[in-house]
Amino acid sequence: MTVLVTGGAGYIGSHAALALLDGGRDVVVLDNLSQGHRWAVPTGAAFVEGDCGDEDLVRRVIAEHDVTAIMHFAGSIIVPDSVIYPLEYYRNNTVNSRALLQVAVDSGVKHFIFSSTAGVYGEPKATPINEDFALKPISPYGTSKMMTEKMLADAAIAHDLRYVALRYFNVAGADPKGRSGQTSRKATHLIKIASQAATGTRPQMAIYGEDYETPDGTCIRDYIHVSDLANAHVLALEYLERGGESDVMNCGYGRGFSVREVIGAVKKVSGVDFEVELADRRPGDPAALIAAADRIRQKLGWTPVHDDLEDIVRHALDWEQSLKSREVSAA
Ligand SMILES: NC(=O)c1ccc[n+]([C@@H]2O[C@H](COP(=O)([O-])OP(=O)(O)OC[C@H]3O[C@@H](n4cnc5c(N)ncnc54)[C@H](O)[C@@H]3O)[C@@H](O)[C@H]2O)c1
Ligand SMILES: O=c1ccn([C@@H]2O[C@H](COP(=O)(O)OP(=O)(O)O[C@H]3O[C@H](CO)[C@H](O)[C@H](O)[C@H]3O)[C@@H](O)[C@H]2O)c(=O)[nH]1
């Protein structure tokens, strides 16, 4: 009875592995370390270095570890890169997911939890966004995730497999106990970048556009603490284990903060007045993305405990500081 966590050496997967281990589950992490780090795999989890699209390897891992459920985090995640390298994104996010799903079905794994994204909605017609909105992704990244959702839906009809696809809004923060956090080599996420500016890892940062139709002109997003998100995965697994139907669920708190509000919170919590420039809009940024977050609360009984912007920021800052000392000690 082991959970296979693909991408468990990365940001969200390592937090999910921690949540599973904290709940007394056995975990095996499969990660090719293209972005993740061996040290990010939580103590107590078994680790296999390899590709989730390698069917023979995954078949062996499932058999050797008696895997009964899969949480699939492995993937390529940078939206602008997906525009430049679309075929690479379809290979890693769609083709490799197909391979993983094939082995899951062949091996009799019945429960599958998938990392999807609010990016599947594209430019939504209104906000908050509920799960029944049309899927109209505007990037290859969003399309690659939508295609995997479709494969899951079809496979779940044809085979003895049930799934939950979790559509994450803006994931941020770090494990409150300091055991993991966001370490991506190519940081693009706002709270990560602002935390780097506050801790001196980068000299300044920019706001991408101040002329949106929002109260302060900057974009609004629904920031969700990574540990609340990790717990949602554990609850989704329990839901499937007690016979829950396959479903898709938004993961957000149902409220939003503007870029300016986020930067203000990072300055307040850190006590550092770092330099912020004004830059042009970043292509493809919708003005506001807020989740309708009722379904996940109702169906999974999910009750977030870190729904506080300053909490999210504090944990992100603590992690950024700890990364600096890690680099110093590694030098
Ligand atoms: N971070 C976000 O805000 C966000 C938002 C929505 C959805 N997601 C999704 O959540 C998942 C995890 O994202 P993250 O932020 O933790 O990213 P991450 O880059 O930190 O983690 C991804 C991990 O997957 C591994 N990986 C990539 N391709 C692989 C492959 N073919 N085989 C094995 N391992 C592979 C990487 O080495 C890395 O450790 C992704 O699927 C991403 O699309 C993330
Ligand atoms: O240095 C920065 C970084 C970001 N931003 C702004 O901050 C907001 C949030 O940007 P992020 O890059 O942190 O996040 P996105 O909303 O672009 O995208 C993230 O959330 C999406 C869902 O909302 C998808 O899940 C996607 O995979 C994930 O990267 C945007 O308005 C962006 O323009 C800045 O102003 N300056």
Side-chain angles (χ1 to χ4, degrees):
M1 295 278 282
T2 302
V3 183
L4 169 60
V5 178
T6 75
Y11 174 44
I12 306 170
S14 64
H15 287 81
L18 282 169
L20 288 163
L21 291 163
D22 287 349
R25 302 244 186 194
D26 289 329
V27 173
V28 56
V29 165
L30 174 67
D31 199 299
N32 64 8
L33 302 184
S34 55
Q35 296 299 319
H37 302 269
R38 176 65 186 90
W39 55 257
V41 177
T43 312
F47 176 67
V48 177
E49 182 173 347
D51 203 287
C52 67
D54 180 341
E55 293 191 29
D56 291 339
L57 174 66
V58 176
R59 200 165 276 121
R60 274 204 312 279
V61 171
I62 289 176
E64 280 169 17
H65 292 267
D66 190 17
V67 168
T68 53
I70 297 177
M71 290 191 183
H72 180 34
F73 297 91
S76 302
I77 71 160
I78 299 176
V79 178
D81 282 2
S82 79
V83 178
I84 302 168
Y85 308 109
L87 298 179
E88 178 52 32
Y89 272 67
Y90 288 119
R91 186 191 66 77
N92 204 26
N93 291 351
T94 313
V95 176
N96 285 341
S97 295
R98 199 216 74 84
L100 182 67
L101 207 42
Q102 180 75 61
V103 184
V105 167
D106 293 347
S107 309
V109 174
K110 295 184 172 45
H111 303 139
F112 198 102
I113 296 171
F114 174 58
S115 298
S116 191
T117 169
V120 295
Y121 298 113
E123 295 259 11
K125 61 181 190 301
T127 208
I129 302 162
N130 75 53
E131 290 86 350
D132 299 326
F133 275 31
L135 303 188
K136 292 184 177 170
I138 54 169
S139 69
Y141 170 75
T143 307
S144 71
K145 290 284 180 177
M146 181 186 74
M147 288 164 78
T148 301
E149 283 199 20
K150 302 268 188 213
M151 286 193 293
L152 275 165
D154 290 340
I157 291 168
H159 305 290
D160 184 15
L161 171 127
R162 279 169 298 117
Y163 73 92
V164 174
L166 295 172
R167 294 177 179 159
Y168 314 160
F169 281 64
N170 288 61
V171 189
D175 176 49
K177 294 185 183 150
R179 297 171 294 176
S180 195
Q182 196 175 44
T183 314
S184 337
R185 295 181 177 104
K186 267 177 89 177
T188 54
H189 293 102
L190 176 65
I191 291 182
K192 171 85 178 171
I193 293 210
S195 301
Q196 289 177 329
T199 53
T201 308
R202 63 173 64 228
Q204 85 276 76
M205 64 167 296
I207 294 178
Y208 299 140
E210 234 185 358
D211 56 351
Y212 287 92
E213 283 189 21
T214 58
D216 69 12
T218 65
C219 291
I220 292 174
R221 295 288 182 274
D222 188 340
Y223 294 92
I224 174 174
H225 193 294
V226 66
S227 297
D228 279 339
L229 180 62
N231 278 332
H233 287 73
V234 176
L235 293 174
L237 178 56
E238 291 171 357
Y239 162 85
L240 290 176
E241 287 173 342
R242 59 175 184 268
E245 289 301 308
S246 295
D247 212 341
V248 295
M249 298 178 196
N250 285 342
C251 294
Y253 293 136
R255 52 91 186 110
F257 292 102
S258 73
V259 174
R260 278 212 177 280
E261 286 172 325
V262 168
I263 292 173
V266 176
K267 287 189 173 186
K268 180 178 169 205
V269 174
S270 66
V272 181
D273 188 17
F274 51 87
E275 191 184 329
V276 179
E277 294 175 342
L278 190 55
D280 290 344
R281 286 184 178 202
R282 197 171 63 175
D285 276 341
L289 291 176
I290 296 174
D294 313 318
R295 186 180 292 182
I296 188 168
R297 290 171 186 260
Q298 281 160 11
K299 291 210 165 173
L300 303 188
W302 181 63
T303 311
V305 294
H306 299 293
D307 179 4
D308 180 90
L309 182 61
E310 290 190 13
D311 244 25
I312 296 175
V313 162
R314 186 171 301 106
H315 296 149
L317 281 165
D318 287 349
W319 178 253
E320 219 48 52
Q321 280 296 359
S322 81
L323 277 181
K324 285 184 82 173
S325 35
R326 196 184 290 270
E327 275 155 25
V328 170
S329 60

